């Protein structure tokens, strides 16, 4: 059984179901209480669960995450909301130095089951501080997991998995998808496991690795290539750390060509790591260099004209795929 | 609520002798570490609290196992008082597998959740948001346990200090914030790091009481913390106690502390918390030569045994450098 929900509603449903299932789950953040969150994700939770489990906080990202870590040490499973992923830098130390290292420095005798939800990404005219894609900062820090769903189904299932995971998880929900991505969502308790990619389209001529809001333009580009007789396999990574190496390599063995598409900037983005891993471990399987379509190494501008110049889109991805298969 | 400085208390002779034991043990432990690091037997990570022992003894004495402490880097003694064996703490300093972090990190960067000890990172003040989270869980559970959170006057200038104390004030959390004002943040003296004389007045900005006391008088510290703990257990919220003290050694053992005068050090040594308390105990016939000798022998035996144990304990297996990152 499934029903149609928006990506945003799917996240809210995951939160509500997990809070009903486990009294140790609670949410905290700025405006998450009666107001229901800047984007409305937590609407209704305050009425159902009360102020102790739906905690309106001061503008204190470091405290929001630090309080979550403290509660996690006592067996709770807090879900911290960053109002925008851009603001996560204000709580950076608590994530990378406290949460990420705690198990290691405790000799394996403790864990930090927190989720930090962060609305990421651009294409909404948000400008420099409401559009960022900070995944690489956290992928780079051992001890953290990073997920980035692209569909309503995955948003619900991956958030449930993140809440039940015993490690700190940075949950990047793309704000462009909040109300635009609608689709079937399972009724009831279905988990999308962390660390498992989804093949969105099969093909034998090239592999396209992507995630988040880049999945849709990637599929559109693959459809264009199909009209030219080229079948592109589109893999939605879903989990960025740990990424699904087995799925990537299996596809590569079939296609021998890889394009990585992400909205994050190019230098030391996830594409750089994927390219390096493929080169190190699957060099013989490659018929072409691994190519990337990414945001250029710049900031997210406010003007539509400027932002459109930066964002990867169907045309840019199509062009890169043509280059890749012609190599 | 009466002023916490005037909280009534009565300690039995055995309890006073126990306080004496802890003061002497903590002093002797740090003094031995100071020698071991000079001998090269301990690599680094020794930040002694010599001169500041009365703060730990006065605040930890009588805490419950369920209460949490969030110590700072000079508070090794608080680990001992909360129930970690001397052997384990010495092993931690020797980076052995029998230490809390199994060789992953030195000093107090590890904790024991079951004993109510949170181990901070090197980011001073970053323990305070976590203390708030621990306190929040006690409030959610409506239990009368408390959190005792330690920081230096230097850390009171961090954003985490502000975010945590503000959150604790808003939520009326059961936390006692202990400022160990030892006059220097590494080399920077008080007057260069704050434009006020007393850290205690900062509490007013968060809506709770702050009090400045003589941090070298173990009974004064005990009396103030007893009052603040009682207030926290009763649900009346946090208190800030600023303990004026002085660190005798440098910031760490390699710091020669040329930034201060010999006269200043001599003046503070004349306020050594241990002889003051010894005189008090002898005047009341709680302590005599035989009892003191027995206590000192017990301490020497404990520390000799801990060093022997740690020296002979196994080093970690090399490959444990990459384990315990994820649960």
């Amino acid at each position: 059984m499934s029903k149609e929900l928006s990506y945003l509603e799917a996240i809210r449903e995951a939160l509500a179901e997990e809070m009903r299932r486990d009294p140790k789950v609670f949410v905290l953040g700025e405006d998450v209480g009666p107001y229901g969150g800047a984007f409305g994700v937590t609407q209704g939770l305050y009425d159902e669960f009360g102020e102790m489990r739906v905690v309106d906080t001061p503008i204190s990202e470091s405290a929001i995450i630090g309080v979550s870590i403290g509660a996690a040490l006592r067996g709770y499973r807090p879900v911290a909301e960053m109002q925008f992923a851009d603001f996560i830098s204000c709580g950076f130390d608590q994530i990378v130095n406290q949460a990420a290292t705690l198990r290691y420095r405790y000799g394996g005798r403790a864990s930090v089951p927190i989720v930090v939800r962060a609305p990421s990404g651009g294409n909404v005219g948000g400008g420099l501080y409401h559009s960022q894609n900070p995944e690489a900062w956290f992928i780079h820090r051992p001890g953290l997991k990073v997920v980035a769903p692209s569909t309503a189904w995955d948003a619900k299932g991956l958030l449930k998995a993140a809440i039940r995971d015993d490690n700190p998880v940075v949950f990047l929900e793309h704000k462009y998808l909040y109300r635009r991505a609608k689709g079937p969502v399972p009724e009831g308790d279905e988990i999308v496991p962390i660390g498992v990619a989804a093949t969105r389209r099969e093909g034998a001529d090239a592999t396209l690795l992507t995630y988040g809001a880049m999945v849709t333009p990637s599929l559109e580009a693959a459809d264009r290539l199909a009209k030219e007789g080229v079948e592109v396999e589109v893999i939605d990574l879903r989990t960025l750390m740990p990424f699904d190496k087995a799925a990537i390599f299996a596809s590569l063995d079939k296609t021998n060509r890889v394009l990585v598409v992400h909205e994050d900037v190019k230098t030391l983005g996830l594409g750089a790591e994927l390219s390096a891993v493929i080169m190190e471990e699957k060099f013989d399987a490659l018929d072409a260099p691994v190519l990337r379509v990414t945001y250029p190494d710049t900031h997210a501008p406010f003007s539509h004209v400027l932002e459109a110049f930066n964002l990867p889109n169907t045309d840019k991805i199509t062009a890169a795929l043509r280059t890749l298969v012609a190599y | 609520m009466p002023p916490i400085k005037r909280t009534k208390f009565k300690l039995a002779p055995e309890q006073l002798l126990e306080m004496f034991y802890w003061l002497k043990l903590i002093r002797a432990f740090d003094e031995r570490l100071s020698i071991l690091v000079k001998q090269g037997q301990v690599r680094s990570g020794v930040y002694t609290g010599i001169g500041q022992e009365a703060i730990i003894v006065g605040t930890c004495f009588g805490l419950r196992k369920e209460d949490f402490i969030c110590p700072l880097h000079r508070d090794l003694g608080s680990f001992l008082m909360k129930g970690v064996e001397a052997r384990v703490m010495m092993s931690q300093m020797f980076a052995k597998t029998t230490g809390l972090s199994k060789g992953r990190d030195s000093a107090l960067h590890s904790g024991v959740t079951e004993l109510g000890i949170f181990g901070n990172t090197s980011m001073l003040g970053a323990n305070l948001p976590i203390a708030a989270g621990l306190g929040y869980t006690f409030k959610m559970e409506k239990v009368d346990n408390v959190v005792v959170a330690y920081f230096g006057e230097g850390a009171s200038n961090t954003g985490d200090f502000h975010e945590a104390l503000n959150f604790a004030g808003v939520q009326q959390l059961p936390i006692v914030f202990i400022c160990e004002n030892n006059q220097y943040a590494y080399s920077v003296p008080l007057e260069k790091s704050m434009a006020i004389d007393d850290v205690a007045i900062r509490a007013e900005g968060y809506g709770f009481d702050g009090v400045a006391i003589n941090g070298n008088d173990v009974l004064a510290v005990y009396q103030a913390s007893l009052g603040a703990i009682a207030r926290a257990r009763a649900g009346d919220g946090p208190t800030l106690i600023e303990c004026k003290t002085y660190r005798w050694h440098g910031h760490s053992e390699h710091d020669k502390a040329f930034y201060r005068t010999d006269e200043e050090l001599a003046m503070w040594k004349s306020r050594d918390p241990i002889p003051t308390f010894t005189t008090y105990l002898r005047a009341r016939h709680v302590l005599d030569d035989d009892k003191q000798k027995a206590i000192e022998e017990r301490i020497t035996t404990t520390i000799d045994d801990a060093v022997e144990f740690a020296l002979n304990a196994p080093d970690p297996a090399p490959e444990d450098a990459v384990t315990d990152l994820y649960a």
Side-chain angles (χ1 to χ4, degrees):
Chain A
M1 282 292 287
S2 69
K3 58 185 171 187
E4 289 278 317
L5 285 183
S6 72
Y7 184 94
L8 182 147
E9 291 165 334
I11 293 168
R12 181 192 298 145
E13 191 165 273
L15 288 171
E17 286 181 13
E18 290 303 293
M19 290 176 79
R20 282 177 209 130
R21 183 186 64 79
D22 182 354
K24 296 289 191 185
V25 178
F26 70 99
V27 304
L28 69 166
E30 294 151 16
D31 308 291
V32 300
Y35 188 71
F39 291 96
V41 172
T42 57
Q43 272 171 18
L45 297 183
Y46 182 88
D47 289 338
E48 182 174 352
F49 301 103
E51 64 175 355
M52 289 304 289
R53 292 181 69 201
V54 185
V55 190
D56 260 337
T57 68
I59 302 174
S60 301
E61 282 79 11
S62 193
I64 292 167
I65 296 162
V67 165
S68 301
I69 296 166
L73 283 171
R74 292 209 59 252
Y76 288 80
R77 292 184 177 269
V79 183
E81 177 174 308
M82 298 286 102
Q83 195 153 77
F84 285 83
D86 313 61
F87 305 167
I88 205 168
S89 50
C90 300
F92 196 65
D93 178 62
Q94 290 290 336
I95 299 175
V96 303
N97 280 321
Q98 293 284 7
T101 65
L102 195 136
R103 182 175 182 79
Y104 188 73
R105 68 183 204 260
Y106 271 55
R109 289 171 297 99
S111 56
V112 188
I114 66 168
V115 179
V116 181
R117 289 181 39 237
S120 66
N123 209 8
V124 294
L128 267 75
Y129 310 110
H130 292 76
S131 306
Q132 294 172 25
N133 294 283
E135 54 265 35
W137 297 347
F138 302 105
I139 292 167
H140 192 69
R141 189 61 165 163
L144 303 175
K145 293 185 179 182
V146 182
V147 300
S150 72
T151 67
W153 183 291
D154 286 353
K156 183 177 176 187
L158 274 171
L159 183 51
K160 281 172 165 272
I163 289 169
R164 297 179 197 188
D165 198 284
D166 285 336
N167 300 286
V169 180
V170 176
F171 189 88
L172 296 169
E173 41 198 60
H174 202 294
K175 69 177 82 68
Y176 181 82
L177 301 176
Y178 268 153
R179 290 182 171 81
R180 292 179 181 86
K182 292 194 178 75
V185 169
E187 303 249 27
D189 201 25
E190 193 154 328
I191 303 292
V192 173
I194 290 176
V196 180
T199 303
R200 299 297 183 198
R201 184 188 196 289
E202 291 193 7
D205 298 323
T207 297
L208 193 161
L209 305 176
T210 190
Y211 55 92
M214 291 296 108
V215 173
T216 296
S218 294
L219 287 168
E220 287 169 2
D223 285 345
R224 288 188 193 173
L225 268 287
K227 293 192 183 105
E228 299 167 17
V230 175
E231 294 299 332
V232 177
E233 184 145 291
V234 177
I235 294 181
D236 178 357
L237 293 169
R238 304 198 287 191
T239 297
L240 311 186
M241 189 67 193
F243 54 80
D244 189 348
K245 209 154 84 169
I248 295 168
F249 287 180
S251 181
L252 172 59
D253 282 336
K254 192 164 62 170
T255 66
N256 309 110
R257 291 165 201 272
V258 179
L259 172 70
V260 186
V261 178
H262 59 60
E263 194 183 312
D264 188 12
V265 299
K266 191 166 202 172
T267 300
L268 290 181
L270 180 57
E273 179 62 20
L274 292 172
S275 174
V277 167
I278 289 167
M279 188 273 293
E280 276 178 338
E281 299 184 36
K282 299 291 285 183
F283 189 73
D284 291 344
L286 287 171
D287 286 344
V290 177
L291 298 186
R292 288 179 282 170
V293 175
T294 70
Y295 218 75
D297 289 341
T298 184
H299 302 297
F302 179 51
S303 152
H304 173 68
V305 174
L306 299 177
E307 188 177 28
F309 178 82
N310 287 345
L311 282 166
N313 59 30
T314 308
D315 287 345
K316 293 176 189 176
I317 299 166
T318 304
L321 284 171
R322 285 185 184 132
T323 305
L324 181 71
V325 295
Y327 186 88
Chain B
M1 277 280 165
I4 57 171
K5 271 172 149 175
R6 293 195 209 119
T7 304
K8 289 199 169 60
F9 71 96
K10 187 163 170 46
L11 289 166
E14 315 79 70
Q15 290 176 299
L16 290 165
L17 286 175
E18 203 188 328
M19 275 187 166
F20 180 73
Y21 165 76
W22 285 119
L23 283 171
K24 300 274 285 183
L25 175 73
I26 295 167
R27 170 73 54 93
F29 205 110
D30 271 352
E31 283 177 339
R32 184 68 67 91
L33 280 175
S34 177
I35 294 165
L36 288 165
V37 79
K38 286 182 181 74
Q39 290 173 339
Q41 299 205 66
V42 169
R43 282 179 80 184
S44 67
V46 175
Y47 304 87
T48 74
I50 294 172
Q52 306 181 199
E53 298 88 349
I55 300 167
I56 291 308
V57 177
T59 52
C60 287
F61 197 81
L63 281 182
R64 301 171 184 166
K65 188 181 166 202
E66 294 75 20
D67 295 328
F68 247 92
I69 57 168
C70 300
L72 60 80
H73 53 295
R74 301 195 190 286
D75 298 341
L76 191 149
S78 68
F79 282 66
L80 300 171
M81 289 189 71
K82 212 63 175 68
V84 182
E85 285 178 42
R87 285 177 165 195
V88 175
M89 289 316 292
M90 200 60 89
S91 299
Q92 171 77 355
M93 305 308 296
F94 276 83
K96 296 298 183 76
T97 51
T98 44
L100 293 173
S101 77
K102 299 181 184 167
R104 266 65 167 280
D105 207 351
S106 66
L108 313 186
H109 296 171
S110 194
V112 188
T113 303
E114 308 76 59
L115 295 175
I117 304 169
F118 170 72
N120 195 24
T121 60
S122 290
M123 288 64 191
L124 304 180
N127 57 335
L128 301 176
I130 291 166
L134 293 163
Y136 190 76
T137 64
F138 292 148
K139 181 181 166 181
M140 279 203 279
E141 291 162 17
K142 298 187 171 71
V143 294
D144 66 348
N145 299 327
V146 300
V147 181
V148 183
Y150 301 83
F151 60 96
E153 85 289 348
S156 79
N157 300 314
T158 64
D160 271 347
F161 169 86
H162 175 67
E163 291 193 14
L165 272 74
N166 182 57
F167 186 84
V170 170
Q171 292 283 346
Q172 285 289 289
L173 300 180
I175 307 179
V176 181
F177 292 102
I178 303 291
C179 177
E180 300 184 36
N181 181 351
N182 64 13
Q183 317 299 322
Y184 289 88
Y186 202 150
S187 74
V188 177
L190 210 57
E191 63 271 20
K192 282 190 181 170
S193 61
M194 58 187 71
I196 52 175
D197 294 325
D198 295 328
V199 174
I201 69 166
R202 293 189 163 173
E204 191 183 338
Y206 307 114
F208 51 86
D209 284 348
V211 60
I213 62 166
N214 176 4
N216 283 12
D217 178 345
V218 68
L219 293 178
V221 176
Y222 177 69
Q223 182 174 39
S225 67
L226 202 63
I229 288 168
R231 190 180 284 190
R233 292 204 200 285
D236 292 327
T239 307
L240 168 55
I241 301 173
E242 178 189 5
C243 302
K244 308 276 194 189
T245 188
Y246 196 83
R247 86 170 128 75
W248 292 9
H249 287 205
H251 163 67
S252 66
E253 290 305 288
H254 62 260
D255 169 24
K256 304 286 181 260
F258 61 82
Y259 42 81
R260 60 190 191 186
T261 64
D262 292 342
E263 292 73 24
E264 182 181 279
L265 178 60
M267 189 273 283
W268 277 98
K269 282 192 171 177
S270 74
R271 300 181 190 175
D272 185 343
I274 297 180
T276 311
F277 191 54
T278 309
T279 306
Y280 171 90
L281 295 178
R282 283 180 174 272
R284 277 156 189 75
H285 307 292
V286 173
L287 186 70
D288 57 25
D289 286 348
D290 287 348
K291 283 182 180 149
Q292 182 160 348
K293 189 159 173 281
I295 286 171
E296 284 167 355
E297 279 173 5
R298 185 178 152 209
I299 287 166
T300 306
T301 306
T302 301
I303 292 173
D304 286 348
D305 170 76
V307 173
E308 181 76 11
F309 178 85
L311 274 171
N312 294 317
D315 280 323
E319 56 272 25
D320 272 342
V322 293
T323 58
D324 288 335
L325 286 159
Y326 292 94

